[in-house]
Amino acid sequence: MIDLTGKRAFVTGGTRGIGRATATLLERAGAAVAVTSRTQGGDLGDAPTAQRVVANAINELGGLDILVVNHGVWPADDVPLSKMSDAQWESTRRANLDAMFYICRAAIAQMSSGTIVLVSSTAGQRGEAYHADYAATKGAVISLTKSLAVELAPEITVNCVAPGWVDTEMSQPAFGMRDAGSGKRAIEATIPLGRIASADDVAGPIVFLCSPLARHITGEILNVNGGSVLCG
Ligand SMILES: NC(=O)c1ccc[n+]([C@@H]2O[C@H](COP(=O)([O-])OP(=O)(O)OC[C@H]3O[C@@H](n4cnc5c(N)ncnc54)[C@H](OP(=O)(O)O)[C@@H]3O)[C@@H](O)[C@H]2O)c1
């Protein structure tokens, strides 16, 4: 049903977790896919690095039709804002928000048409106590989506996926792997659909938004959270 043959896609944070699942699904749909990660391409919170990484991807693919800005960090320790260091605030902002700006700016300059999907979080919709740095960046991603959607219409659609808890490396500390997964069971109890998403559960909606099936959708924040946060 979804055929992306001939489309060229770039996925940030595409080496593991949601990004890798998305890259794999885009490939299965026929797209040519380039990925980057901090280890492979460098820190996207650094503007010249982001510029170089985008240029390399476009060079490798021969152009760009689909951009998925998915990479991100979630500092796992609970830290009240009153005790949050400048270093933590800045490093989360650089990775999650500055990098998104740098990547989008560099890519848009090379895209005459196509689609962009940005990855936010339920934390950006409802906040996240003791993780205000993360929640603030993810809220900003939602505003960025809506701003860009109007700026880039009608040639380029811009949408956002807001996942709830997803079973990736990022969330393992919260799942309490060290206390026999009890954190995971407690989280599952808060999700109406009764389970934590897999990376594939999020990749599917991202690929849908990248596809012609979503051609009349732009500026959308798509909840992929098992019903845990119901935002319209
Ligand atoms: N997991 C969840 O429960 C959850 C929930 C809601 C939203 N999200 C969001 O979904 C997205 C993907 O999360 P995930 O769980 O798949 O994460 P993950 O498994 O921790 O993977 C993160 C990816 O992002 C890359 N990355 C991180 N910081 C980077 C930087 N400064 N520059 C370049 N690459 C960077 C990592 O590269 P390296 O491998 O080289 O470090 C890795 O490829 C994130 O935006 C996250 O905030 C996740």
Side-chain angles (χ1 to χ4, degrees):
M1 173 74 93
I2 292 179
D3 182 5
L4 298 176
T5 305
K7 300 296 183 193
R8 300 152 301 184
F10 177 45
V11 182
T12 70
T15 54
R16 58 189 168 93
I18 295 167
R20 184 166 64 187
T22 301
T24 302
L25 204 55
L26 285 167
E27 268 173 358
R28 278 179 47 203
V33 182
V35 300
T36 192
S37 70
R38 188 169 25 204
T39 318
Q40 280 191 6
D43 177 9
L44 299 175
D46 173 67
T49 302
Q51 181 88 30
R52 171 181 52 75
V53 163
V54 169
N56 288 348
I58 290 176
N59 198 32
E60 177 188 332
L61 295 167
L64 190 61
D65 308 293
I66 295 169
L67 172 65
V68 181
V69 193
N70 153 81
H71 76 278
V73 294
W74 178 73
D77 290 343
D78 284 349
V79 181
L81 188 120
S82 59
K83 300 233 161 41
M84 194 171 288
S85 67
D86 291 358
Q88 176 172 339
W89 179 267
E90 184 171 347
S91 116
T92 307
R93 194 206 68 228
R94 275 175 58 104
N96 291 0
L97 183 58
D98 295 1
M100 194 154 289
F101 163 56
Y102 298 144
I103 290 287
C104 288
R105 184 173 60 181
I108 288 162
Q110 306 296 322
M111 290 174 79
S112 53
S113 62
T115 185
I116 297 174
V117 177
L118 308 181
V119 178
S120 176
S121 165
T122 48
Q125 298 170 304
R126 66 173 171 189
E128 187 174 6
Y130 307 106
H131 298 269
D133 53 338
Y134 179 78
T137 61
K138 292 300 183 178
V141 169
I142 289 171
S143 310
L144 189 63
T145 301
K146 294 177 180 180
S147 307
L148 266 186
V150 176
E151 273 188 34
L152 300 182
E155 289 83 9
I156 299 172
T157 60
V158 185
N159 291 296
C160 176
V161 165
W165 289 105
V166 187
D167 195 351
T168 66
E169 280 180 52
M170 178 180 280
S171 41
Q172 295 314 306
F175 294 163
M177 298 311 279
R178 280 157 300 186
D179 58 347
S182 60
K184 197 169 186 177
R185 283 194 298 279
I187 289 168
E188 279 170 347
T190 69
I191 302 172
L193 290 188
R195 66 182 186 83
I196 289 164
S198 67
D200 286 337
D201 290 330
V202 183
I206 293 175
V207 172
F208 160 69
L209 288 173
C210 295
S211 79
L213 293 177
R215 63 187 169 271
H216 204 55
I217 301 176
T218 198
E220 175 67 11
I221 314 304
L222 186 57
N223 296 327
V224 188
N225 60 35
S228 61
V229 176
L230 300 174
C231 299

